[in-house]
Amino acid sequence: MRRVPVGWQEARAMAYDDSRFRGEPGFREEPDFRSGGVPEDAPTLGVVNQSVYTPGSFPVSPAYGSPAADEPVGRRRAPTTQQLGDVFDDPEHGEPGRDRFAVHALWELVLLLTGGALLYLLRDASPAALRGAELHALLLSGAAFGLITVAMGLSLRAGAPNLAVGPVALAAALFFAANSNRGLLTTALITGLVALGAGVVIAVVVVGFHVPGWAASLGGALALIAWIADQPDAKLVAGAYDPHGHALWWAIGVAGLAIGGGALGLVRPLRRSLGRFRPVRDPADRPGGGARAFTGFAIAGSAVLAAAAGVLVALTDRGVAAAGATASFGGFTVSVLALGAALAGGTSAFGRRGGVLGTALAVVVVTLLLRYTQAEGWKLQPAALAAGAIGIGLVVTRLVETFGRPRTAREIAEDAPWTPPSITPPQPEPEDNWSPPSSRTGGWTPGAYGNTAYDSTGYGNTGYGNTGNEAPRESDRGWGVEERWGTR
């Protein structure tokens, strides 16, 4: 057995057991990896059954997670004004965001060109239709039909189409003409109040029971048709106001009403509030009180507008024939024709969405088409024209719903200009400030725990057993290997 030098045993005991080394510069105590790599004096944060505090993980919201695979990586953009405005849009009232109006502008251009073509054809077919009394009759006919179409468009915007506007107009005309001897202004106000009452009844049924507007108004229309069938012919009192002298102003006023209503529809909060009755998920779900209030006002207002149209018809024709009313199904044909004109003008069949000039232009097209077919001697039934207008209007509704809905976040991101990420030029590597051991400060001080000298072999000679610069023996160079790395 090899003999261990006495000095080496003492140096080994001081190097690993002496606590004086634990405060010296350059000393580091490694953790015990057999216990999980956690020091014994780690904090426990007051937990009784947990000896060491380990940080947990928290779920990350998808909105703040990593970007999608197809999302361009670059500098994060600040939210736009449109995105900030979308925050206040309730998803329960429809898609957040501003509706797009390019599709309305293009379709209104088509209607404008169509109206211009019909006007040119009518001038060639019957030049007298655009002059004198015939022109006044044409303008008043368009104004009356325009009021009914505006009434239908208002209820359509609210998501509850009022199919009773035609019977309401005809009933108002009969009532006004039969009672015109009591004063025109007074009778007109009473007629408006009666029509308002009929509209309120329909509105209460629609918003109270939350049923489709077309179904409730259809029931109201049938009730009015039954009343109209029992009424005699009515003639206006002699000396009553004649609107033929102000036909142009009536037409301009109705056109301004239609265009003004469309312009108000551009106001984002008003448009969204008026269209809140439009179903978002389940159509049978009851909307809030605000949606019911706006829908009720729209239905009642449409009845009042229809009554105004009836009064204008009675003043224009100087009376109303009950036989003609029965032939037109009690005014129901006027209702479906107004529905077709409103749909063809760009008002969505689902509610909320609509254009600005579309309703006025559609009224012009329908009025000119009826007068043109009459000038040519063609027998075009209003019901057939209504069917064609509704068919075209349904196609327009699909276009409006496809290209008029707000843009999605992905579409906005695709259209936004891409901002390249900022590139930081590479920084030069720091210079190596390493200095030889002879110029360093601190660390091991020779002679503090015995004089140590290093020879070319890298073994130090301490004062423990070796003196001076005497090199250790070859038999001592591998001392301690068996004890430190050997098997136990």
Side-chain angles (χ1 to χ4, degrees):
M1 183 175 182
R2 188 172 54 181
R3 175 176 172 271
V4 179
V6 178
W8 284 84
Q9 184 69 25
E10 294 177 357
R12 178 174 178 269
M14 179 173 292
Y16 292 95
D17 297 337
D18 196 343
S19 61
R20 291 179 297 171
F21 286 92
R22 297 182 180 270
E24 296 296 331
F27 177 82
R28 183 179 64 182
E29 183 176 1
E30 297 291 342
D32 186 4
F33 293 98
R34 291 174 298 177
S35 62
V38 182
E40 296 179 358
D41 56 348
T44 62
L45 299 182
V47 181
V48 178
N49 296 327
Q50 182 178 350
S51 59
V52 178
Y53 168 74
T54 55
S57 62
F58 300 91
V60 180
S61 172
Y64 300 96
S66 58
D70 57 349
E71 182 177 352
V73 179
R75 182 180 300 176
R76 185 176 181 181
R77 306 183 186 95
T80 62
T81 305
Q82 177 180 353
Q83 293 172 342
L84 291 176
D86 296 346
V87 175
F88 300 97
D89 291 340
D90 191 350
E92 297 293 333
H93 305 160
E95 304 95 334
R98 182 180 297 278
D99 292 338
R100 291 177 284 184
F101 292 93
V103 62
H104 293 285
L106 293 176
W107 178 245
E108 288 168 3
L109 179 61
V110 172
L111 291 176
L112 180 62
L113 295 177
T114 304
L118 287 173
L119 185 63
Y120 177 80
L121 293 175
L122 179 61
R123 190 193 66 175
D124 286 349
S126 177
L130 302 179
R131 294 194 301 265
E134 291 192 18
L135 177 60
H136 295 163
L138 182 64
L139 292 175
L140 290 175
S141 175
F145 180 67
L147 284 173
I148 299 176
T149 305
V150 170
M152 179 62 73
L154 176 61
S155 61
L156 266 180
R157 283 282 190 116
N162 185 6
L163 298 181
V165 290
V168 167
L170 188 52
L174 284 170
F175 181 84
F176 177 80
N179 298 276
S180 59
N181 56 349
R182 301 179 181 179
L184 294 182
L185 183 58
T186 303
T187 305
L189 291 177
I190 294 176
T191 303
L193 291 177
V194 173
L196 178 62
V200 168
V201 171
I202 298 175
V204 168
V205 174
V206 171
V207 302
F209 295 94
H210 188 62
V211 294
W214 64 266
S217 61
L218 182 60
L222 294 176
L224 288 173
I225 291 173
W227 181 84
I228 292 171
D230 292 337
Q231 301 302 312
D233 294 346
K235 291 186 176 296
L236 201 66
V237 66
Y241 167 73
D242 188 0
H244 286 83
H246 306 91
L248 180 61
W249 294 108
W250 277 99
I252 293 176
V254 173
L257 179 64
I259 297 174
L264 287 177
L266 296 177
V267 180
R268 185 171 173 179
L270 181 60
R271 184 183 70 255
R272 292 184 66 88
S273 299
L274 183 60
R276 285 170 61 180
F277 202 76
R278 166 183 169 140
V280 178
R281 288 187 294 269
D282 187 359
D285 290 341
R286 285 179 174 270
R292 287 179 288 191
F294 274 99
T295 303
F297 288 145
I299 295 176
S302 66
V304 174
L305 290 173
V311 171
L312 181 59
V313 169
L315 291 173
T316 302
D317 297 340
R318 314 310 292 175
V320 181
T326 305
S328 64
F329 299 101
F332 189 74
T333 302
V334 180
S335 289
V336 294
L337 186 59
L339 175 64
L343 292 175
T347 305
S348 174
F350 299 100
R352 176 180 170 180
R353 296 188 172 97
V356 178
L357 304 176
T359 300
L361 292 175
V363 169
V364 171
V365 169
V366 171
T367 304
L368 290 177
L369 183 59
L370 288 173
R371 186 65 182 88
Y372 173 70
T373 57
Q374 182 182 358
E376 292 288 352
W378 301 339
K379 294 182 179 180
L380 178 61
Q381 296 295 329
L385 180 58
I390 290 176
I392 296 175
L394 294 178
V395 175
V396 175
T397 291
R398 178 40 48 200
L399 294 175
V400 167
E401 292 296 329
T402 302
F403 301 104
R405 63 177 59 250
R407 295 193 301 170
T408 61
R410 181 178 296 275
E411 293 174 345
I412 296 176
E414 291 176 355
D415 295 342
W418 180 74
T419 304
S422 59
I423 301 177
T424 304
Q427 301 292 334
E429 296 183 359
E431 298 181 358
D432 191 2
N433 296 326
W434 182 85
S435 58
S438 58
S439 62
R440 294 181 181 177
T441 60
W444 178 267
T445 304
Y449 301 97
N451 296 327
T452 303
Y454 296 88
D455 58 8
S456 62
T457 62
Y459 288 88
N461 301 321
T462 65
Y464 302 99
N466 293 319
T467 59
N469 295 329
E470 181 181 358
R473 292 173 298 181
E474 292 296 331
S475 60
D476 296 334
R477 294 183 184 275
W479 177 87
V481 175
E482 298 85 351
E483 295 186 5
R484 294 182 60 188
W485 308 106
T487 58
R488 297 185 180 182

